[in-house]
Amino acid sequence: MKKRLKWLMVFGFLMIAQQSYGQVDAILQAMDDDNWKRALKLAENAEEDPDLRKDPEVYFLKAEIIYELMQDEYYHKKNPESFEIGIKAVQKGIDKDENNEVTAAYNDLIDKYVNINNGLAYREFKINKYNKAGRMYRLSYDLNEDTSAFFWEGKCALYQLDTAKGEMHYRKVIYWFSEKFAETGDTSGMISEPFIYFADKYWQKGQFDSASTILDQARKIFGSSPKIDYYQKEIAKEQIEQLPPSNLMMEFIQKYLVYFPTDTFLMRKENALYLYQIRTAVRTGNRYLADSLLLKMANSKVDRSMSGNNDFYKKNDYFYGLKVENVWWIIAGYLFEYNHADAGKYVAKKYIAYTADTTTKEALEDRWLVIIDYSAQKKSLNFSSNILDMALEEFPKSKRLKEMRASLISKFSDKDLNTADVGAYTYLLEKEYLATKNEVLLESLVASAENYINRLIKEKNYVLAKRVINKYRDFAPFEPLWDNRLVYLAKQDFYHSYYMTRVMEHTVEGVTVPGYEWNGNPVRCTPGQPDIQIHKKVEDRVNYFRRNAGVPEIYLDPELNDWCQKAALMMESNRKLDHEPSRSWRCYSQEGATAAKYSLLTQGANTTLAVTSFFADTKNPSVGNRRWMLYPNSLSLGHGSTENYCVLWALDDSGSVDTNLYKEQFISWPPEGLIPKMMAFRFWSFSLDQDLKGAKVTMFEGDDAVPLKVQEQVEGYGLPTLVWEPAIDPKTFNEDHTYSIKVSLKNGRVYTYNVVVMNFDAVGY
């Protein structure tokens, strides 16, 4: 009996298996015949069969059938729930396949459903249904462990302010991507956003090393991309700005120059740091270090001159050179130009020693003479004169060098010279007059100096013109032309650099057209763009103030202009000013937010009018805006203007000025010398890189003390600054007024200077 029962059970199982095979085979046959509706009916019947409902293949076949039916647009419209039914069938198939014996054969089908599901989830995400989108992405990940779906689930969590869950997803994605790339080098399906998210988070917290590390990791996987480049550049710049001049700073600069070889900020920082280290090494007598730095700097320039970016370096790198010795000569000239004579002489002598036949005195002098003669014939008198001056410093008793100077004066006395060569000729006359005290030479010197000054003023080189006037008046102190030239210079500078930089209205066929019309749109978040003439006027007006205050001029960087324009758009769109706008602002952009952080902001004025508003600072007793605009080491600024707002990037430290200079040399406004009356603003200021606490200021017109109110000192805006408000009203002046200012520091140092407020407003000039 038991034996018979056993055979009956075996027979039953065989019949069920045969029945199951028959039904699955029928489904497959219908699919082969493209009879998809019959195939679906058979699959649905199989689902109801108690013996077949455990078979995972039934569900996968049903899902495949539905997928094919969905390719018919009419069917899909008539059965909009078909995708949900199909993906549930896929899910059931996976769940039923406990030993994973069937699923692998349907991976392509699963991927198709996941792709569709991800697309539908993204549609929900775009309409801010983050919770629903997150659930859909979770389903995709459960089906085939799709890492992009896992990422998007994390993103949905972040948008729902579930930071813990979102960051957990992002960290896992970063780990998976890094592992996969290390093993296979394959980047397909990878997303850089998790890396960017954490880089931004660390950056905002000031954790630059962590931000840099994760960006290095991202760059290794994804290479260069706009977002990675943006964050890496900005974080690098901020990190570098916070470091003192050091080998560590150089490591950072050169690391990022590998990524951004044509970044002008990094290139100039590298140049400035090399020069600083060279000067320091020379000053401390460390010849080995000075030589090593000179060789490294020169070799880097030569290497870059042979790179694919050669044209860029030739145009943008002041120290570009094809040979080591060429770079050394450029360095020497630069050091002399910026009053680092000791370092300049060291480098020049190294150049001569490197290029001379031997190291004897005769050979070195021969080398100087050859270079001087060659420069006079092939280059310019200016270049030749500079070399001669350095040679005479090396060999002050050299008869041959002195004869060379007289020869150059004779050769170029009747030639038509450019402005630089006129300056060099004047200098040669000066040296020859000092050596001979020949009165005929003095007459020639004064005439040549006047010619040089007039040329400089005409070419708007006002800084050098003023320097030349002050220098040569010592040779003929009672000559009235010097004061006449200073007045002419001050008027010309004001007229061309300030008055003519107005953004004026004009009339076309009786209709008044504004001088600046913003071409952006706050509704569409279009930033617009001022034309190049507007930027040039802004640049000229900023430089008018900086030049007259005695600090180096700046330039407007096109990229910073774009960022400032985006910041101005944000202010215009939200109708308020903020140095740290939130991501919830209309028209928010990371570039605009960065510009807002480093810029001066104003409402109710734009373009050049805003520049004057910033500088006058009539409502700000600390004149913080003016102080940033006169910060001596600024070099690269930016400007953006909308209809009602202006953003001026002014917190910059990318210049190559030795700021130690301003421990002794003050910066004042009004500046020492002549200034039109409308430039004598409400608050007068005196800046110096020293402790000004307890400093006292007095102001006299002739023998009469000018009442004044000294403002409370406020730190944190450029250099330490003393501010006072004198009891005068320049608007009422009908003649020039001369004021004597005396600033006494607590340490005993005293600074005195005169300001002449001119009765001049340029109208009709």
Side-chain angles (χ1 to χ4, degrees):
M1 182 69 181
K2 289 182 179 180
K3 189 174 182 180
R4 182 184 297 175
L5 181 60
K6 181 178 179 182
W7 277 109
L8 284 172
M9 291 175 65
V10 171
F11 179 75
F13 283 127
L14 288 172
M15 290 297 292
I16 291 169
Q18 186 176 3
Q19 181 184 6
S20 173
Y21 174 78
Q23 287 183 269
V24 170
D25 189 54
I27 295 170
L28 291 170
Q29 185 61 52
M31 293 169 68
D32 286 342
D33 294 339
D34 289 336
N35 193 343
W36 299 105
K37 290 184 179 180
R38 171 174 168 72
L40 178 60
K41 184 64 177 176
L42 290 170
E44 289 172 342
N45 291 339
E47 271 188 305
E48 300 300 322
D49 191 301
D51 298 313
L52 292 176
R53 66 175 57 177
K54 294 181 181 180
D55 186 349
E57 189 165 19
V58 169
Y59 299 98
F60 285 126
L61 289 174
K62 179 182 177 182
E64 187 171 352
I65 293 163
I66 291 174
Y67 181 82
E68 291 296 334
L69 286 168
M70 285 192 303
Q71 305 313 302
D72 182 344
E73 187 176 345
Y74 175 77
Y75 177 88
H76 197 220
K77 285 183 178 180
K78 190 176 180 181
N79 301 275
E81 76 289 349
S82 56
F83 174 74
E84 281 190 39
I85 296 171
I87 200 167
K88 284 180 181 177
V90 171
Q91 197 170 12
K92 282 186 179 181
I94 293 171
D95 292 342
K96 300 292 184 184
D97 190 17
E98 295 179 359
N99 298 321
N100 200 28
E101 295 175 347
V102 178
T103 302
Y106 291 93
N107 281 342
D108 287 345
L109 176 67
I110 295 169
D111 290 345
K112 291 175 181 177
Y113 270 96
V114 165
N115 287 337
I116 295 173
N117 191 54
N118 287 347
L120 295 172
Y122 183 70
R123 191 165 65 185
E124 299 298 322
F125 178 87
K126 291 293 285 183
I127 58 174
N128 304 328
K129 293 184 177 181
Y130 305 124
N131 188 39
K132 182 177 180 180
R135 292 198 307 271
M136 294 173 73
Y137 282 123
R138 165 50 65 174
L139 174 58
S140 288
Y141 178 71
D142 288 342
L143 292 179
N144 72 347
E145 297 186 348
D146 178 41
T147 52
S148 66
F150 192 81
F151 155 75
W152 277 99
E153 184 187 3
K155 187 167 184 173
C156 289
L158 290 174
Y159 273 64
Q160 294 177 88
L161 304 182
D162 188 348
T163 306
K165 179 180 178 181
E167 290 188 354
M168 180 273 291
H169 276 61
Y170 276 20
R171 284 193 177 94
K172 281 189 176 181
V173 168
I174 289 172
Y175 173 77
W176 290 336
F177 286 174
S178 300
E179 287 289 300
K180 179 184 176 183
F181 182 77
E183 291 174 4
T184 67
D186 181 20
T187 61
S188 57
M190 294 189 183
I191 303 163
S192 65
E193 189 169 333
F195 297 85
I196 300 298
Y197 171 85
F198 282 110
D200 183 62
K201 180 178 180 178
Y202 294 139
W203 182 20
Q204 298 303 327
K205 289 184 175 182
Q207 298 173 353
F208 300 117
D209 288 340
S210 297
S212 296
T213 298
I214 201 162
L215 286 170
D216 287 342
Q217 195 176 359
R219 182 172 289 278
K220 185 177 180 181
I221 296 172
F222 301 101
S224 176
S225 76
K227 281 193 174 181
I228 292 174
D229 287 352
Y230 167 77
Y231 279 96
Q232 205 148 33
K233 266 189 188 181
E234 291 310 305
I235 292 170
K237 290 176 182 178
E238 195 165 329
Q239 190 172 19
I240 289 166
E241 292 288 11
Q242 295 189 11
L243 290 171
S246 59
N247 290 332
L248 179 60
M249 179 191 274
M250 185 66 83
E251 286 178 19
F252 276 112
I253 292 170
Q254 293 180 340
K255 167 190 171 181
Y256 291 111
L257 274 170
V258 173
Y259 298 151
F260 313 111
T262 59
D263 184 85
T264 54
F265 169 86
L266 294 171
M267 185 175 67
R268 291 189 178 107
K269 274 293 179 184
E270 183 190 43
N271 287 341
L273 184 54
Y274 264 130
L275 293 169
Y276 170 82
Q277 290 179 323
I278 290 166
R279 295 198 313 268
T280 302
V282 172
R283 188 177 66 249
T284 57
N286 192 336
R287 294 173 57 91
Y288 174 80
L289 179 58
D291 290 349
S292 174
L293 290 165
L294 281 166
L295 190 59
K296 284 181 181 178
M297 184 175 182
N299 281 333
S300 71
K301 303 304 174 187
V302 173
D303 289 344
R304 289 171 191 172
S305 73
M306 295 186 288
S307 72
N309 297 311
N310 176 51
D311 290 341
F312 170 84
Y313 293 123
K314 191 173 183 180
K315 181 179 178 181
N316 294 283
D317 191 347
Y318 181 85
F319 299 96
Y320 170 89
L322 299 174
K323 295 180 180 179
V324 167
E325 58 267 32
N326 293 349
V327 178
W328 285 348
W329 192 250
I330 296 169
I331 294 171
Y334 180 89
L335 292 170
F336 274 106
E337 183 179 355
Y338 287 94
N339 300 315
H340 302 295
D342 290 342
K345 290 173 188 175
Y346 182 88
V347 180
K349 284 192 287 185
K350 186 173 180 64
Y351 168 82
I352 291 296
Y354 188 83
T355 57
D357 293 335
T358 67
T359 58
T360 64
K361 179 181 176 181
E362 290 76 13
L364 294 172
E365 189 175 335
D366 285 344
R367 182 61 182 151
W368 283 112
L369 286 164
V370 167
I371 296 172
I372 295 164
D373 184 59
Y374 175 83
S375 301
Q377 294 183 47
K378 301 294 184 181
K379 294 192 176 181
S380 68
L381 178 61
N382 181 46
F383 190 75
S384 179
S385 173
N386 285 328
I387 300 171
L388 173 61
D389 197 43
M390 286 186 282
L392 281 167
E393 286 188 9
E394 276 295 297
F395 304 104
K397 296 181 180 180
S398 171
K399 184 179 178 181
R400 289 193 294 167
L401 288 171
K402 291 176 181 177
E403 289 172 349
M404 175 65 79
R405 181 174 64 206
S407 174
L408 290 174
I409 291 172
S410 176
K411 285 180 181 177
F412 286 88
S413 62
D414 58 352
K415 291 188 182 297
D416 184 18
L417 304 177
N418 62 33
T419 302
D421 285 348
V422 170
Y425 184 76
T426 305
Y427 181 72
L428 290 171
L429 284 170
E430 171 198 337
K431 290 299 182 181
E432 194 70 7
Y433 168 72
L434 290 173
T436 64
K437 297 298 181 181
N438 185 319
E439 291 301 317
V440 175
L441 279 176
L442 178 58
E443 292 180 13
S444 298
L445 172 59
V446 172
S448 183
E450 183 178 11
N451 181 25
Y452 186 35
I453 292 162
N454 290 338
R455 282 170 173 259
L456 290 172
I457 294 173
K458 184 177 180 181
E459 295 174 8
K460 301 182 176 62
N461 193 343
Y462 304 116
V463 172
L464 185 53
K466 188 179 293 186
R467 195 182 305 157
V468 173
I469 292 170
N470 291 328
K471 177 181 181 180
Y472 288 111
R473 75 187 309 158
D474 291 338
F475 288 81
F478 302 110
E479 181 68 51
L481 79 89
W482 311 119
D483 288 335
N484 292 339
R485 292 302 85 193
L486 281 173
V487 171
Y488 178 62
L489 185 154
K491 291 182 176 181
Q492 286 291 102
D493 191 7
F494 178 76
Y495 180 77
H496 289 290
S497 306
Y498 187 88
Y499 186 75
M500 293 305 292
T501 61
R502 294 170 300 156
V503 178
M504 300 176 292
E505 293 183 348
H506 57 282
T507 303
V508 178
E509 296 181 355
V511 178
T512 300
V513 180
Y516 171 63
E517 290 187 274
W518 179 44
N519 57 7
N521 188 309
V523 176
R524 297 191 181 95
C525 290
T526 306
Q529 185 61 264
D531 62 40
I532 192 169
Q533 289 83 5
I534 294 293
H535 284 313
K536 182 66 169 64
K537 287 186 175 186
V538 169
E539 184 178 275
D540 286 348
R541 186 165 287 196
V542 171
N543 283 330
Y544 172 77
F545 291 121
R546 287 181 64 88
R547 179 171 57 251
N548 280 280
V551 296
E553 298 183 14
I554 57 87
Y555 72 95
L556 294 184
D557 182 278
E559 183 178 27
L560 295 185
N561 288 342
D562 289 342
W563 292 11
C564 287
Q565 193 63 29
K566 290 179 180 179
L569 167 68
M570 290 164 62
M571 309 298 158
E572 184 79 43
S573 300
N574 295 275
R575 291 290 174 177
K576 56 183 176 180
L577 302 173
D578 198 324
H579 287 290
E580 295 185 356
S582 73
R583 293 177 179 272
S584 63
W585 273 36
R586 278 187 47 77
C587 305
Y588 178 89
S589 67
Q590 185 61 55
E591 295 89 342
T594 302
K597 183 178 180 181
Y598 293 102
S599 297
L600 311 180
L601 312 175
T602 192
Q603 181 178 6
N606 57 31
T607 65
T608 57
L609 182 59
V611 170
T612 301
S613 175
F614 287 133
F615 195 84
D617 244 0
T618 54
K619 297 180 181 179
N620 184 6
S622 70
V623 294
N625 293 324
R626 181 191 301 174
R627 288 157 67 174
W628 280 124
M629 288 179 70
L630 293 181
Y631 184 64
N633 205 41
S634 294
L635 175 66
S636 175
L637 305 187
H639 158 252
S641 282
T642 59
E643 185 176 350
N644 301 292
Y645 294 83
C646 180
V647 176
L648 184 70
W649 188 300
L651 278 68
D652 177 64
D653 194 28
S654 62
S656 56
V657 170
D658 184 354
T659 50
N660 286 329
L661 176 67
Y662 295 92
K663 289 186 178 296
E664 298 298 328
Q665 179 176 311
F666 64 86
I667 302 167
S668 68
W669 198 269
E672 183 173 18
L674 300 151
I675 200 76
K677 62 184 180 182
M678 71 175 291
M679 294 291 99
F681 301 116
R682 174 186 176 187
F683 295 116
W684 292 35
S685 58
F686 174 95
S687 300
L688 192 67
D689 193 10
Q690 291 192 35
D691 184 3
L692 296 182
K693 290 184 177 65
K696 295 181 179 179
V697 58
T698 59
M699 187 168 163
F700 281 82
E701 183 175 14
D703 295 328
D704 299 326
V706 177
L708 53 86
K709 179 183 178 182
V710 178
Q711 304 298 317
E712 181 181 353
Q713 289 187 45
V714 179
E715 300 298 325
Y717 303 96
L719 296 181
T721 300
L722 187 67
V723 182
W724 66 94
E725 183 178 1
I728 61 173
D729 185 6
K731 294 176 185 175
T732 65
F733 290 177
N734 295 316
E735 58 184 12
D736 295 352
H737 288 253
T738 301
Y739 298 99
S740 300
I741 293 95
K742 179 180 178 181
V743 177
S744 304
L745 274 56
K746 204 171 181 180
N747 63 10
R749 290 297 305 273
V750 176
Y751 294 85
T752 60
Y753 60 100
N754 293 330
V755 174
V756 180
V757 180
M758 304 164 62
N759 180 34
F760 175 71
D761 57 13
V763 177
Y765 180 68

